[in-house]
Amino acid sequence: MTKADTRQKILDAAEVLFAEHGFGEVSVRQVVHEADVNVASIHYYFGSKDALIEEVLSRRLTPLNEERLRQLSAFEEKASKSGTTITIEDVLYSLVGPAVRLSRGTEAGRHFIRLVGRMFAEPSDSVQAMLKARFEALFRRFNEAFKQALPGVRRKDYFWRLHFVIGAMSLTLCDSQRPALLSEGACNPEDVEEVIAQLVAFCAAGMRAEAPKKRRTR
Amino acid sequence: MTKADTRQKILDAAEVLFAEHGFGEVSVRQVVHEADVNVASIHYYFGSKDALIEEVLSRRLTPLNEERLRQLSAFEEKASKSGTTITIEDVLYSLVGPAVRLSRGTEAGRHFIRLVGRMFAEPSDSVQAMLKARFEALFRRFNEAFKQALPGVRRKDYFWRLHFVIGAMSLTLCDSQRPALLSEGACNPEDVEEVIAQLVAFCAAGMRAEAPKKRRTR
DNA sequence: GTGTAATTGAAACAGTCGTTTGAATTAATA
DNA sequence: TATTAATTCAAACGACTGTTTCAATTACAC
């Protein structure tokens, strides 16, 4: 067995187990058992369990965010060629499309994406710091694009709505089965383009909403 | 110290710790240390760690969901008296209002609500079964109300959108600080009625959106 | 084929885990 | 106040945690 094989087997097994049960609940011994390698391999290749977690995440997160930026650039170029500006649907499509496709393509992608969704609800400082580092560039780029697509929306309203978009997206990535269960089969979570279209339509309408007014507290 | 005191101290400490670090990451010894009681108390009062988790959740979830139903009924009554039907804003307001208020009121509420948000991203079977049991009645009741408020929306579209609403709400409850951080202070997560108004406006617009159309896969 | 480095293996490290025990203590009942 | 029941306590249970050690094995350059 070559070096690459063992590393890969550990990462694959860890991805599945972490997605299924969370970081804290999965022991390195479960990982090495599933990967069919020795206990010491994890520390030989990664140094520690925490370092392994980092590796599991960055392995797929980097290409995913690159793809998002690629799609966004393509939409912007297309718009500028036709003398228009990018639409909110285009921006959302670039943001959620690659992620949903990854989450529904292979079994590995499904596990990984659930892992990311789980992390967004994870308040632990180390995880949040990691997320921030990996998403900062993406965030700045999409902020500009959203601004262009939503000229009339106030700054404050925009940031709240971005937060809601992230929430809707996270849950959709993290839990693919609930809509099917709740609707008793009417929703098909495996119809990737349908999921994307639903998510984009919902978020675009929410983003474009009238500025909210507070109610009297009851 | 009376019996009630010890039980209460354990529940309070467990709520904070579980919300902060998750179920698996918190040991019963951390809980008893924080609660300043003996290790055996947890098994004396609750039987097991799992049973303690259940107790922590149901202690606040039951009154929360009762309040949601109360508000919904009040809106429905008001509408029927004036010969109109309930609006989507009213339904959403009943769903998210009590939860957001709980999450921003006391420190205990904040911790508890983060716990619930975290659980929605938790795929573990035992947790999902627990959630299902505790939310089933609420779910049926709100389904009817949404149906009334959204006569033109197809069944399939509705269930997808409900899923997105839950996602937006979950993240907002779970992570109160991110909007403030991302917006560099423009959003104030402590302005409870503002948060509710923003969430309701976003979700109402999303719920009322035009039926989505799939794009060509790129 | 020999020597050297990379990798794997089984065993053990010191801690921590959830849980249990049974005696010591407190509170309630009579 | 005496008796009984409820509660607390320190200590220990075996199992499991992440990590380390070092000999055995494999791969590769010469």
Side-chain angles (χ1 to χ4, degrees), chain B residues 27-29 43 48-49:
Chain B
S27 68
V28 297
R29 280 177 177 80
H43 297 89
S48 70
K49 185 186 180 183

Side-chain angles (χ1 to χ4, degrees), chain B residues 67-73 75 86 89-99 142 200:
Chain B
E67 172 63 17
R68 284 168 155 163
L69 292 174
R70 239 193 317 278
Q71 292 205 10
L72 184 62
S73 296
F75 277 122
I86 194 167
E89 277 83 1
D90 290 341
V91 182
L92 287 166
Y93 196 76
S94 310
L95 184 67
V96 310
F142 270 86
V200 168

Side-chain angles (χ1 to χ4, degrees), chain A residues 43-208:
Chain A
H43 297 89
Y44 181 76
Y45 285 107
F46 302 97
S48 71
K49 186 187 179 181
D50 283 348
L52 169 63
I53 293 173
E54 287 247 6
E55 274 276 328
V56 167
L57 290 164
S58 61
R59 179 172 64 146
R60 294 195 204 275
L61 209 48
T62 306
L64 169 62
N65 283 348
E66 282 169 359
E67 174 62 17
R68 284 166 154 164
L69 292 174
R70 237 193 319 277
Q71 293 204 10
L72 185 61
S73 297
F75 277 122
E76 284 178 332
E77 199 181 342
K78 199 174 146 197
S80 91
K81 269 184 185 165
S82 63
T84 60
T85 55
I86 194 167
T87 67
I88 179 67
E89 277 83 0
D90 290 341
V91 181
L92 287 167
Y93 196 75
S94 311
L95 184 66
V96 312
V100 173
R101 270 181 217 107
L102 178 55
S103 82
R104 304 301 204 277
T106 64
E107 199 62 22
R110 176 189 317 274
H111 287 302
F112 168 71
I113 275 297
R114 253 166 63 175
L115 197 52
V116 176
R118 174 194 282 276
M119 288 181 58
F120 268 97
E122 176 76 38
S124 113
D125 287 344
S126 70
V127 170
Q128 286 300 325
M130 221 279 298
L131 278 184
K132 187 169 190 260
R134 301 234 166 265
F135 279 98
E136 200 144 48
L138 188 85
F139 173 65
R140 265 201 293 276
R141 187 81 171 64
F142 270 87
N143 262 351
E144 287 172 36
F146 272 123
K147 208 173 185 176
Q148 276 230 327
L150 293 164
V153 175
R154 284 179 307 177
R155 189 175 143 74
K156 184 179 73 171
D157 294 345
Y158 160 68
F159 278 107
W160 275 114
R161 292 168 186 188
L162 180 62
H163 186 68
F164 304 145
V165 167
I166 294 171
M169 180 175 65
S170 290
L171 188 63
T172 304
L173 295 176
C174 179
D175 183 351
S176 61
Q177 293 310 311
R178 190 169 0 221
L181 286 176
L182 294 185
S183 70
E184 288 159 341
C187 302
N188 175 15
E190 298 310 314
D191 186 344
V192 183
E193 297 307 317
E194 160 84 3
V195 178
I196 297 170
Q198 290 281 358
L199 190 46
V200 168
F202 179 88
C203 293
M207 277 279 192
R208 274 198 272 255

Side-chain angles (χ1 to χ4, degrees), chain B residues 58-207:
Chain B
S58 61
R59 178 172 65 146
R60 294 195 202 277
L61 208 47
T62 306
L64 170 62
N65 284 348
E66 281 168 2
E67 172 63 17
R68 284 168 155 163
L69 292 174
R70 239 193 317 278
Q71 292 205 10
L72 184 62
S73 296
F75 277 122
E76 284 177 333
E77 199 181 342
K78 201 175 143 195
S80 92
K81 269 184 186 166
S82 64
T84 60
T85 55
I86 194 167
T87 67
I88 179 70
E89 277 83 1
D90 290 341
V91 182
L92 287 166
Y93 196 76
S94 310
L95 184 67
V96 310
V100 173
R101 269 180 218 108
L102 178 56
S103 82
R104 304 300 205 277
T106 64
E107 199 63 23
R110 177 189 315 276
H111 287 304
F112 168 71
I113 273 300
R114 253 167 60 177
L115 197 51
V116 177
R118 174 194 281 277
M119 287 180 58
F120 268 96
E122 178 76 36
S124 111
D125 286 344
S126 72
V127 170
Q128 287 301 324
M130 222 279 298
L131 279 184
K132 187 169 191 260
R134 300 236 166 265
F135 280 98
E136 201 143 49
L138 188 84
F139 173 65
R140 265 200 295 273
R141 187 83 171 63
F142 270 86
N143 262 351
E144 286 172 36
F146 272 124
K147 208 173 185 176
Q148 276 231 325
L150 293 165
V153 174
R154 285 178 306 177
R155 190 175 142 76
K156 184 179 73 171
D157 295 345
Y158 160 70
F159 279 108
W160 275 115
R161 291 167 188 189
L162 179 63
H163 186 68
F164 304 145
V165 167
I166 294 171
M169 181 176 64
S170 289
L171 188 64
T172 303
L173 296 175
C174 180
D175 182 352
S176 61
Q177 293 311 311
R178 193 175 352 229
L181 286 176
L182 294 184
S183 69
E184 288 158 342
C187 302
N188 175 14
E190 297 310 312
D191 185 346
V192 183
E193 297 307 317
E194 160 82 5
V195 177
I196 297 171
Q198 289 280 357
L199 191 45
V200 168
F202 178 88
C203 293
M207 278 279 192

Side-chain angles (χ1 to χ4, degrees), chain A residues 1 3 6 29 38 40 44-45:
Chain A
M1 186 191 306
K3 167 168 170 163
T6 302
R29 279 179 178 77
N38 190 267
Y44 181 76
Y45 285 107

